[in-house]
Amino acid sequence: MATYKDSGVDIDAGDRAVELMKASIAKASRPEVMGGIGGFAGLFDASALKSMKQPLLATSTDGVGTKTEIARQMGKYDTIGEDLVAMVVDDLVVCGAEPLFMTDYIAVGKVIPERIADIVSGIARGCEKAGTALVGGETAEHPGLLAEDEFDIAGAATGVVDAPLQLGADRVRGGDLIIAMPASGFHANGYSLIRHILATQKLDLSKTYEGLSSSLGEILLTQTEIYTLDCLALIKAQGEKLRTFSHITGGGLADNTARVIPAGLIATYDRSTWSVPSEMKFLADIAGVPQADMERTWNCGIGMSAVVDPSVADLIVKSLAARGMKAWVAGMVESVAASDSPRSQLVSEYRK
């Protein structure tokens, strides 16, 4: 006789995991959510969208890549979910969309209920920070494909923006300023390079190296900043004078900013306005990472930038500060002679 459990899949453990995560999920809700978890689909009342002139649904999906391996090595699973939420919802807000609801997918080698509950608690906490409902998810046990302590996570979110209020490159003008918002750390990009450095330089995750404020492992697991509510507040307050945002993920500052700059214009960041975080300097120095490679792999200290009309730049910096988000003018948008010129660049040197 062969049972499903004999093959490595434990349905009872999955059921226990669901029970453990219910309290966390209950905190990540919105009034529009219909029913609870456990159904075949999550339901969301979209009747409020009728008040919009032309509601556009926006969707985004992502994961956290090999940052999950750092969580596994550290045996700490309750923060990685926030990274997942951040990577998804902050992509949505770039076009002006309010993230409405999210679903997640967790693949594991073996279901350990407490571990699954820890991961989902982070996802729920991230959704709560973003004002987004967690309406469902899936946990899959993959014995033979993943080791018992290995896992991966992914998620998708849906948001909405009224078409007349949609942000994008078409709103950007020469003379606009770039407002930078700081990253909380590496976020969830470039961890393949980080893990390569850890291996080749034989670094110890439990050690606090000179110049770092805590152990390397703790620093590498710092949750990705969630900018969604701050960005939505700016959109509501500034209207058309808020042109667009750029979420600084894989590809770095230049490549991600170029995605929201139209042909004929160039966005220029002044490195002298901020410093590269100490943890990024540490890894780059110890492994000899070229500056150009670092800038295309890591965020270098800026996690989100806003392109704004210069008349409201100071007000935006102050309003973000009032919300607890440090921000500063980090660059500007200018006209260029050739329409095929690079649409984003970094100039000057980073402040020492």
Side-chain angles (χ1 to χ4, degrees):
M1 182 179 69
T3 66
Y4 208 10
K5 191 171 184 178
D6 292 334
S7 71
V9 177
D10 189 342
I11 295 175
D12 292 333
D15 291 341
R16 290 197 300 275
V18 171
E19 288 301 316
L20 289 174
M21 66 178 73
K22 280 183 177 179
S24 295
I25 295 174
K27 298 177 183 178
S29 189
R30 290 172 55 121
E32 302 95 332
V33 175
M34 309 294 290
I37 64 170
F40 286 94
L43 299 176
F44 190 92
D45 182 0
S47 59
L49 307 188
K50 294 177 182 177
S51 63
M52 295 184 175
K53 293 180 180 179
Q54 185 183 353
L56 302 178
L57 292 180
T59 185
S60 178
T61 186
D62 210 338
V64 298
T66 56
K67 188 171 183 176
T68 57
E69 177 62 11
I70 305 298
R72 185 194 68 80
Q73 291 181 28
M74 293 289 291
K76 184 173 175 57
Y77 301 93
D78 60 346
T79 61
I80 198 77
E82 287 192 44
D83 295 282
L84 176 63
V85 176
M87 299 307 291
V88 174
V89 298
D90 284 339
D91 274 356
L92 287 178
V93 80
V94 165
C95 70
E98 176 188 2
L100 300 175
F101 56 85
M102 182 168 178
T103 57
D104 64 69
Y105 176 81
I106 305 172
V108 298
K110 179 179 176 61
V111 170
I112 300 174
E114 294 77 14
R115 187 174 298 170
I116 299 298
D118 278 349
I119 294 171
V120 174
S121 72
I123 297 173
R125 190 165 54 250
C127 284
E128 190 176 5
K129 288 182 178 180
T132 306
L134 182 59
V135 297
E138 173 73 8
T139 299
E141 201 165 21
H142 290 170
L145 294 181
L146 296 171
E148 288 193 356
D149 62 344
E150 290 181 338
F151 74 102
D152 194 17
I153 58 176
T158 298
V160 65
V161 59
D162 204 349
L165 304 178
Q166 182 183 356
L167 307 181
D170 60 302
R171 296 165 59 119
V172 178
R173 304 287 182 266
D176 286 344
L177 296 180
I178 302 171
I179 305 296
M181 291 173 248
S184 56
F186 289 96
H187 287 185
N189 297 108
Y191 274 75
S192 291
L193 174 58
I194 291 170
R195 290 175 56 241
H196 175 72
I197 295 171
L198 292 176
T200 57
Q201 303 302 315
K202 296 180 172 53
L203 298 178
D204 184 349
L205 291 175
S206 65
K207 183 176 178 179
T208 300
Y209 290 91
E210 184 177 355
L212 301 184
S213 59
S214 56
S215 75
L216 183 56
E218 290 175 310
I219 287 172
L220 294 179
L221 281 186
T222 300
Q223 300 98 306
T224 303
E225 186 71 43
I226 296 175
Y227 303 94
T228 299
L229 295 183
D230 293 316
C231 292
L232 291 174
L234 291 183
I235 293 169
K236 183 176 181 180
Q238 300 303 330
E240 293 185 358
K241 293 191 176 183
L242 190 290
R243 312 299 198 201
T244 191
F245 295 103
S246 179
H247 187 198
I248 311 304
T249 55
L253 275 168
D255 286 0
N256 282 289
T257 304
R259 296 166 67 178
V260 296
I261 303 299
L265 298 177
I266 185 168
T268 302
Y269 285 87
D270 183 352
R271 289 189 183 98
S272 68
T273 63
W274 83 99
S275 300
V276 175
S278 58
E279 60 269 24
M280 296 181 191
K281 286 183 180 178
F282 170 76
L283 290 183
D285 289 346
I286 201 170
V289 179
Q291 181 168 302
D293 204 63
M294 179 177 69
E295 289 177 354
R296 294 197 68 184
T297 306
W298 301 327
N299 58 56
C300 291
I302 296 177
M304 180 75 77
S305 60
V307 182
V308 308
D309 185 292
S311 67
V312 297
D314 287 343
L315 178 59
I316 285 176
V317 170
K318 290 177 181 177
S319 63
L320 285 171
R323 295 179 57 86
M325 173 62 69
K326 176 186 176 183
W328 68 96
V329 176
M332 68 180 301
V333 178
E334 302 172 283
S335 298
V336 291
S339 61
D340 60 349
S341 295
R343 291 181 293 166
S344 182
Q345 66 178 1
L346 291 89
V347 298
S348 182
E349 293 296 326
Y350 288 117
R351 188 173 69 246
K352 302 299 183 183

